[in-house]
Amino acid sequence: MTVTKKADGKVLAQNKKASHDYFIEDTYECGLVLTGTEIKSLRNGRANLSDSFATIRNAEAFVHNMHISPFEQGNRNNPTDPTRARKLLLKKAEINKLIGASKQEGYTLVPLKIYIRNGYAKLLIGLGKGKKQYDKRDTAAKRDAQRDIQRALREKQKVAR
């Protein structure tokens, strides 16, 4: 038996701005309700998560503004709206936990990445708390300092040889 970590499948789309704009405190893996042509388009890597967000209504989770381009060889069942709201498949206990957490001030549900696991499309959503401008600058400064340290260590190892 192997221990699998989240998002071990082929990553199809990723929201890179999420870690810049939010402190991600917890992540949840959920399935997506898609049509046949949407999954074909997704497998071709034709998805975009940049402006998407997740909500919970009537004890059901939905992702909004997730853009999946229409499939070129699609049929009449091809959805006309590429940014329609898509239902997320989560367990009832997870939805209840997310309802309580997202009601708190400053917390939101942020889609992080879409990937394929065992033949099924999965969406990794994170419970994020919005960063202030000074938090973003602080994160960037720490990242730059860490990069400078790594660069200095590499230079020192090259001189030592």
Side-chain angles (χ1 to χ4, degrees):
M1 187 166 127
T2 61
V3 176
T4 60
K5 54 185 183 209
K6 290 184 180 178
D8 66 347
K10 178 185 174 196
V11 175
L12 304 172
Q14 194 167 4
N15 189 355
K16 294 180 181 175
K17 274 193 81 167
S19 61
H20 179 71
D21 293 337
Y22 300 98
F23 293 113
I24 304 299
E25 296 186 2
D26 201 5
T27 59
Y28 296 90
E29 180 185 72
C30 52
L32 287 163
V33 177
L34 300 171
T35 64
T37 54
E38 283 180 326
I39 188 67
K40 288 180 180 183
S41 185
L42 232 170
R43 287 180 190 271
N44 288 338
R46 308 273 311 220
N48 187 357
L49 289 173
S50 62
D51 294 328
S52 60
F53 61 96
T55 60
I56 298 177
R57 289 190 318 246
N58 301 330
E60 292 180 330
F62 293 93
V63 63
H64 301 275
N65 288 350
M66 181 176 71
H67 189 279
I68 298 178
S69 299
F71 190 60
E72 295 87 20
Q73 293 85 31
N75 55 15
R76 60 189 167 97
N77 296 329
N78 212 4
T80 56
D81 184 18
T83 59
R84 69 181 179 89
R86 293 169 178 89
K87 186 174 178 181
L88 300 177
L89 304 173
L90 285 164
K91 295 181 179 176
K92 192 173 198 105
E94 290 176 333
I95 289 176
N96 290 336
K97 195 183 296 184
L98 286 174
I99 287 173
S102 64
K103 294 278 188 206
Q104 294 177 15
E105 185 69 28
Y107 283 91
T108 186
L109 299 175
V110 183
L112 301 174
K113 61 177 76 173
I114 301 175
Y115 52 94
I116 301 288
R117 177 187 274 176
N118 298 332
Y120 295 104
K122 302 289 184 180
L123 177 70
L124 189 68
I125 60 172
L127 181 65
K129 185 170 176 65
K131 284 186 181 180
K132 304 284 188 216
Q133 187 65 35
Y134 57 85
D135 290 330
K136 293 178 187 179
R137 284 194 292 263
D138 186 43
T139 303
K142 286 180 184 176
R143 186 176 54 238
D144 292 342
Q146 190 64 30
R147 190 179 307 130
D148 291 340
I149 291 169
Q150 292 299 323
R151 186 179 300 128
L153 287 174
R154 277 196 306 268
E155 291 295 324
K156 190 171 185 175
Q157 287 177 350
K158 284 182 183 178
V159 172
R161 290 183 184 177

